[in-house]
């Protein structure tokens, strides 16, 4: 039976290495003086499952986890979990490969209980990254350590960046619409867009000018579809500001504004992530309506969550229940230095 999933990383090929090369590797290891050998446990294997394997944020996160594994001497199997079925087969697949646990950013946080149960059945440890599991009561599921952005604060940074740029451009609040591309089913998303909205209201923006565009997913396509009808529906506004849970979604809104015929100087879009999607936009010859993004280190998210899980497996040290990370505003002017600073 072929158990391999399309997104598995090269680490999953390890068991297929010819026996002699493993013997050579073992011999070489034996020749390394003890002090120089890595402290890792070669028998440890963890999974890293993400909901959107094609997005730059998640590609970087998984890559960073794999690099940490190489440094510390454990294997990381990178897998896609774009829906519940795929997640459950990824867990089965990890178990078949002898993995002791996995990091996951789930495709739907309400699958938390089912995922945690499947892991428990196999005796695997689970930590979440980015999107935290919720229980039937809508509250974070206990017993699963989490690492993610401090959503509300990062949202406020988005709102403040927008308000400052509006002021710099001399826009009048009453002639400006705020397009909030929302995904209220996902707490990660709601916290961020709530924080941004509150910062705008605090800056004097009127609630009536905040227009909701609910997206079905967390990607550019769904944001484009949600945003498109809003510009003509609210054609009375001269200017627009656009925000959402991530930069992929803000980019969908900006593309929709261009299609409607708005020019870059009529739009201020501010995203969240600071991934390849933003770098590509900032590298364009001319500025677009995508003004900036609050960058968070996906490298750190990938490394730290993998490290937490690894320590839990080998040292029996349970990770903190919730680790919150912070962000830095990245614009066309400073993106390269922020990128370097955050090791992206
Ligand atoms: C969520 C979003 C991603 C990223 C991550 C930290 O999963 O969908 O784009 O922002 O949180």
């Amino acid at each position: 039976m072929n158990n391999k999933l399309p997104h598995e990383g090269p680490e999953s090929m390890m068991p297929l290495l010819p026996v002699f090369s493993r013997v050579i590797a073992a011999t070489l290891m034996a020749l390394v003086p003890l002090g120089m050998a890595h402290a890792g446990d070669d028998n440890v294997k963890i999974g890293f499952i993400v909901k959107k394997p094609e997005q730059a944020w998640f590609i970087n996160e998984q890559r960073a986890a794999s690099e940490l594994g190489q440094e510390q001497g454990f294997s990381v199997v990178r897998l896609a979990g774009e829906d519940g079925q795929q997640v459950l087969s990824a867990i089965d697949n990890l178990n078949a490969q002898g993995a002791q646990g996995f990091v996951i950013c789930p495709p739907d946080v309400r699958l938390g209980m089912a995922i945690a149960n499947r892991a428990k059945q196999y005796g695997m440890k689970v930590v979440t990254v980015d999107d935290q599991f919720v229980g039937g009561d809508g509250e974070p599921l206990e017993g699963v350590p989490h690492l993610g952005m401090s959503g509300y604060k990062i949202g406020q940074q988005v709102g403040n960046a927008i308000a400052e740029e509006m002021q710099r451009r001399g826009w009048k609040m009453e002639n400006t619409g705020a397009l909030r591309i929302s995904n209220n089913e996902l707490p990660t998303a709601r916290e961020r867009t709530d924080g941004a909205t509150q910062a705008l209201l605090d800056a004097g923006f009127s609630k009536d000018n905040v227009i909701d565009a609910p997206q079905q997913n967390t990607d550019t396509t769904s944001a484009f579809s949600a945003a498109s009808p809003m510009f003509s529906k609210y054609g009375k506004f001269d200017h627009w500001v656009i925000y959402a849970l991530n930069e992929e979604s803000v980019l969908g809104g900006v593309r929709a504004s261009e299609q409607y015929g708005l020019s870059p100087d009529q739009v201020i879009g501010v995203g969240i992530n600071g991934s390849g999607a933003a770098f590509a936009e900032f590298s364009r010859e001319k500025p677009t309506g995508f003004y900036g993004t609050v960058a968070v280190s996906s490298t750190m998210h990938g490394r730290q969550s993998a490290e937490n899980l690894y320590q839990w497996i080998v040292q029996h040290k349970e990770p903190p229940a919730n680790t919150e990370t912070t962000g830095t505003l990245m614009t066309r002017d400073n993106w390269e230095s922020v990128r370097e600073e955050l090791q992206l």
Side-chain angles (χ1 to χ4, degrees), residues 318-332:
E318 186 164 341
N322 192 16
T323 306
E324 293 202 325
T325 60
T326 55
T328 312
L329 181 65
M330 181 186 255
T331 63
R332 209 176 148 87

Side-chain angles (χ1 to χ4, degrees), residues 49 55 82 89 179 184-185 328:
I49 307 174
Q55 286 187 351
E82 300 187 61
S89 26
L179 189 69
N184 290 338
E185 301 279 287
T328 312

Side-chain angles (χ1 to χ4, degrees), residues 51 55 57-58 61 105 130-131 149 186 188 192 218 245-246 248 272-273 301:
K51 66 178 182 178
Q55 286 187 351
W57 170 274
F58 294 107
E61 203 166 59
C105 176
D130 306 332
D131 296 341
M149 293 184 187
L186 178 63
T188 319
R192 297 179 199 175
T218 53
L245 94 152
N246 61 15
E248 288 79 1
I272 294 174
N273 277 355
H301 275 218

Side-chain angles (χ1 to χ4, degrees), residues 78-138:
R78 292 173 287 194
L79 295 160
E82 300 187 61
D83 57 39
Q85 200 46 51
Q86 208 183 15
V87 169
L88 294 179
S89 26
I91 301 171
D92 293 347
N93 176 291
L94 285 169
N95 177 57
Q97 293 191 46
Q100 293 93 339
F102 57 91
V103 179
I104 183 167
C105 176
D108 181 340
V109 292
R110 291 164 301 193
L111 292 170
M113 195 54 115
I115 296 171
N117 281 340
R118 180 70 63 108
K120 199 168 164 196
Q121 184 189 326
Y122 290 137
M124 287 170 135
K125 297 192 161 55
V126 192
V127 304
T128 48
V129 67
D130 306 332
D131 296 341
Q132 190 170 21
F133 291 159
V134 296
D137 55 1

Side-chain angles (χ1 to χ4, degrees), residues 92-235:
D92 293 347
N93 176 291
L94 285 169
N95 177 57
Q97 293 191 46
Q100 293 93 339
F102 57 91
V103 179
I104 183 167
C105 176
D108 181 340
V109 292
R110 291 164 301 193
L111 292 170
M113 195 54 115
I115 296 171
N117 281 340
R118 180 70 63 108
K120 199 168 164 196
Q121 184 189 326
Y122 290 137
M124 287 170 135
K125 297 192 161 55
V126 192
V127 304
T128 48
V129 67
D130 306 332
D131 296 341
Q132 190 170 21
F133 291 159
V134 296
D137 55 1
E139 293 299 315
L141 196 66
E142 277 179 34
V144 181
H146 177 70
L147 183 148
M149 293 184 187
S150 66
Y152 194 82
K153 277 194 216 147
I154 286 177
Q156 282 177 311
Q157 274 176 279
V158 169
N160 290 332
I162 289 174
E164 277 163 31
E165 180 60 12
M166 277 181 68
Q167 203 181 21
R168 208 179 58 78
R169 295 189 192 183
W171 290 3
K172 289 205 173 74
M173 298 249 184
E174 56 273 25
N175 300 338
T176 305
L179 189 69
R180 169 171 61 192
I181 302 174
S182 57
N183 191 326
N184 290 338
E185 301 279 287
L186 178 63
T188 319
R190 200 174 53 233
E191 282 170 21
R192 297 179 199 175
T193 47
D194 280 356
T197 306
Q198 194 53 52
L200 284 178
L201 298 181
D202 291 347
F205 213 85
S206 157
K207 227 182 177 142
D208 298 338
N209 289 14
V210 179
I211 311 301
D212 255 329
Q215 61 179 161
Q216 302 301 320
N217 212 311
T218 53
D219 55 17
T220 303
T221 313
S222 64
F224 181 90
S225 314
S228 283
M230 299 306 172
F231 298 110
S232 48
K233 189 163 173 198
Y234 298 92

